[in-house]
Amino acid sequence: MLRTHTCGELRLNDINKTVTLCGWVQKVRDKGSLLWIDLRDRYGITQLMLEEGTSTAQSILVARQLGREFVIKVTGTVIERISKNSKIDTGDVEIKVGGLEVLNSAKIPPFIIEDETDGGDELRMKYRYLDLRRAVVRKNLELRHRMAKVTRDYMDTQGFIEVETPVLIKSTPEGARDFVVPSRMNSGEFYALPQSPQTFKQLLMVSGFDRYFQIVKCFRDEDLRADRQPEFTQIDCEMSFVTQEDILNMFEGLIKHLFRNVKGIEFEKFPRMDYADAMKYYGADKPDTRFAMSFVEITDLAKGKGFQVFDSAEIVVGICAKGCAEYTRKQLDELTDFVKKSQIGAKGLVYVKHGNEGIKSSVDKFFPIEQLTEWLEVFGAEKGDLLLILSGETDKTRKQLSELRLEMGTRLGLRDKNVFKPLWVLDFPLLEWDNEAQRYHAMHHPFTSPKPQDIGKLHSHPGEVRANAYDMVINGVEVGGGSIRIHDRTLQATMFRLLGFTDEQAKAQFGFLMDAFEFGAPPHGGIAFGFDRLCSLFGGADSIRDFIAFPKNNAGRDVMIDSPSEISDEQLKELSIGVVKHSK
Ligand code: ASP
């Protein structure tokens, strides 16, 4: 090795040792006869000291020419520092440099390589390899490594084996568009990149691998957000001969194991909530349960009292914001503007304050004090509380109120990143009506089994059929989801028909799976966790990007390698592809 120690290693008990370190120059301070260098590597920062008289003239000359991010190798003696730095692990010592060698010079970096940087997002992504030198970013990847390691340990002890599935496949329906790859050898034909290994893991169950997992890349061509990337990683799992309960316990175990080993946090049994209740009380299938503020419906109390807005509404529903009765006009206006934003789309917001000056409401013209008092009671509101009420069509209003609830949770500081509230959401509907396409979609995916007691409704009331499907939610983030699968060819064929496939289409796309079901498919089910999301959640961040070594930007571009990019005419020809150019 070129070095004897790393830059994060030396302590007081190493004093007088002769050591050799390698690393990057973080900073040089030249005080005339004395000169200090902060030397950085993956493990930390060590202070180097050169002194006229003791260090060689040559070393001092070289040191004076060092720039930020030069790569150097130094040899010297570990000494105790006079002024210690308690902020760094090596802060008690420094190296009195004898020899100094430049291993490589560096251009001035485009942004400051420290925890606090002046580099904007795009610039940091363009020079991501420099960004990754920053301790804050590196720590995220270290956390990711640890999460993967701890996951593999748990899965291994539970008897799961990791099997790789192919990347060049055929469409897997997870509700997004496929990325496709042209085939040179099969002109005019395309592979699809897996949106998930769903069908393969089911086939592995047919093969008798009764406990499969894989930490695997998935690809979905959809609009990007802070917590989405076109390629992302799942902890993908499948088991045979299990009930839903078995799956919930096994993977609650995984998440507990991760919290215990990565964050030192212990959990009791995770709470469970039906999808229907999640929608009714939180307006979302992934409620943030770090705080209560659950919905209270006052439809019956509020309708028929002459207030047109409520009278024409399907639902009147609200939340009680504790201690917010003294909100000012301005604060209430801000909340009204918030719910009226186009992304949320409410028409207005009704409030009732139970404040120092008694009960005040934006609708007191229509509702006398006795009625407002009754509302307050139903909400369980106390003096000092504020009711925020929305009305309209049920699904839409619940969604809008859900956004307002989260906003209030944030405003009131109830969404602490160091508090973790896991939750299972169960009994999802099997199908979801798509108004635009005028047909049903599978809410999870087409391989999800209906609840046996609901199978009778498949044809008469498809929208009411519940699925053996479950999501794990932590702090309002869906971290994982899965289902017990259909393992019977006839039921699978029925499902495809319900989803609008003709038998021919179903056969062309999923014939291989339905055929496999005729060769002794065991009952099976599984789940997949969004690994990037889990990492960002554990790391206390909102964006998954900082937990991915080389992420893409919001337009799906890798600005460092400049991809996607055009390919040569020759390549196009080989692939028998013609490109229609659109002006940008
Ligand atoms: N394949 C599913 C997904 O990617 C997970 C599962 O059902 O196991 O969401």
Side-chain angles (χ1 to χ4, degrees), residues 174 196 198 201 220 234 236 444-445 481-483 485 526-528:
E174 297 280 3
S196 83
Q198 185 61 37
K201 65 175 173 176
R220 297 183 191 176
Q234 286 189 342
D236 190 45
H444 189 51
H445 51 54
S483 60
R485 325 299 184 190
I527 191 166

Side-chain angles (χ1 to χ4, degrees), residues 104-145:
N104 213 340
S105 61
K107 290 211 293 194
I108 295 172
F111 51 85
I112 297 174
I113 301 185
E114 285 180 32
D115 291 0
E116 292 291 325
T117 177
D118 55 350
D121 246 15
E122 203 75 346
L123 193 64
R124 291 196 296 113
M125 290 307 137
K126 182 157 164 45
Y127 297 94
R128 181 64 164 172
Y129 49 89
L130 296 180
D131 195 34
L132 290 170
R133 285 188 192 162
R134 297 166 58 228
V136 278
V137 187
R138 192 193 62 238
K139 281 194 183 118
N140 294 340
L141 292 190
E142 286 169 355
L143 173 74
R144 186 183 176 108
H145 161 77

Side-chain angles (χ1 to χ4, degrees), residues 428-433 439-443 445-468 486 488-500:
F428 278 79
L430 183 71
L431 304 162
E432 188 176 31
W433 180 250
R439 64 181 190 84
Y440 282 107
H441 283 301
M443 187 129 178
H445 51 54
F447 315 111
T448 296
S449 65
K451 286 212 172 286
Q453 62 270 37
D454 289 358
I455 288 188
K457 291 197 228 162
L458 268 179
H459 294 288
S460 56
H461 301 90
E464 287 175 21
V465 177
R466 288 165 306 155
N468 282 320
I486 297 168
D488 168 79
R489 182 182 180 121
T490 317
L491 185 55
Q492 188 63 71
T494 308
M495 185 68 184
F496 283 131
R497 256 175 252 134
L498 265 175
L499 295 172

Side-chain angles (χ1 to χ4, degrees), residues 141-151 258 261-262:
L141 292 190
E142 286 169 355
L143 173 74
R144 186 183 176 108
H145 161 77
R146 177 115 192 94
M147 300 276 291
K149 159 84 170 67
V150 172
T151 298
L258 280 164
N261 288 283
V262 177

Side-chain angles (χ1 to χ4, degrees), residues 54-322:
T54 21
S55 306
T56 62
Q58 173 63 18
S59 303
I60 294 191
L61 198 72
V62 175
R64 292 224 153 94
Q65 284 157 15
L66 292 176
R68 274 175 181 268
E69 304 306 316
F70 273 44
V71 186
I72 61 171
K73 174 178 157 187
V74 295
T75 300
T77 314
V78 184
I79 58 169
E80 182 168 0
R81 271 212 219 179
I82 297 170
S83 57
K84 303 201 163 53
N85 180 354
S86 59
K87 288 202 198 97
I88 57 174
D89 294 338
T90 62
D92 288 343
V93 299
E94 60 188 350
I95 312 299
K96 195 166 191 178
V97 175
L100 191 163
E101 185 189 334
V102 174
L103 300 178
N104 213 340
S105 61
K107 290 211 293 194
I108 295 172
F111 51 85
I112 297 174
I113 301 185
E114 285 180 32
D115 291 0
E116 292 291 325
T117 177
D118 55 350
D121 246 15
E122 203 75 346
L123 193 64
R124 291 196 296 113
M125 290 307 137
K126 182 157 164 45
Y127 297 94
R128 181 64 164 172
Y129 49 89
L130 296 180
D131 195 34
L132 290 170
R133 285 188 192 162
R134 297 166 58 228
V136 278
V137 187
R138 192 193 62 238
K139 281 194 183 118
N140 294 340
L141 292 190
E142 286 169 355
L143 173 74
R144 186 183 176 108
H145 161 77
R146 177 115 192 94
M147 300 276 291
K149 159 84 170 67
V150 172
T151 298
R152 288 200 165 96
D153 290 346
Y154 177 83
M155 299 308 278
D156 184 56
T157 54
Q158 299 299 322
F160 284 78
I161 62 167
E162 186 161 16
V163 182
E164 286 174 277
T165 50
V167 171
L168 295 175
I169 64 164
K170 185 168 168 143
S171 182
T172 40
E174 297 280 3
R177 279 190 202 88
D178 289 323
F179 281 103
V180 294
V181 179
S183 163
R184 178 183 56 82
M185 287 188 286
N186 304 276
S187 146
E189 295 187 317
F190 297 81
Y191 301 100
L193 302 183
Q195 293 187 34
S196 83
Q198 185 61 37
T199 48
F200 287 95
K201 65 175 173 176
Q202 292 193 241
L203 291 171
L204 284 169
M205 294 304 113
V206 180
S207 309
F209 288 84
D210 59 2
R211 291 186 171 201
Y212 144 95
F213 89 105
Q214 184 181 191
I215 298 186
V216 62
K217 273 287 174 77
C218 302
F219 307 85
R220 297 183 191 176
D221 186 1
E222 53 192 345
D223 294 338
L224 305 178
R225 297 187 308 231
D227 63 348
R228 267 196 200 155
Q229 284 274 303
E231 55 177 301
F232 60 98
T233 306
Q234 286 189 342
I235 309 172
D236 190 45
C237 315
E238 197 76 6
M239 299 173 81
S240 292
F241 307 119
V242 285
T243 62
Q244 171 165 309
E245 192 59 34
D246 298 317
I247 303 245
L248 299 186
N249 290 331
M250 176 63 72
F251 294 101
E252 185 165 319
L254 168 65
I255 299 301
K256 281 181 178 167
H257 187 76
L258 280 164
F259 270 113
R260 183 177 309 124
N261 288 283
V262 177
K263 297 209 68 89
I265 304 177
E266 290 292 337
F267 282 97
E268 303 279 313
K269 200 168 163 52
F270 292 1
R272 298 178 180 189
M273 195 185 288
D274 287 352
Y275 170 86
D277 282 347
M279 297 312 288
K280 185 173 164 70
Y281 295 112
Y282 299 93
D285 58 3
K286 41 177 196 280
D288 184 346
T289 48
R290 277 172 297 183
F291 63 107
M293 221 188 272
S294 53
F295 294 6
V296 176
E297 290 174 18
I298 51 163
T299 317
D300 293 342
L301 290 178
K303 279 179 79 142
K305 303 287 193 284
F307 180 46
Q308 173 54 31
V309 175
F310 285 175
D311 287 347
S312 62
E314 204 177 359
I315 191 172
V316 182
V317 57
I319 50 174
C320 172
K322 289 259 151 238

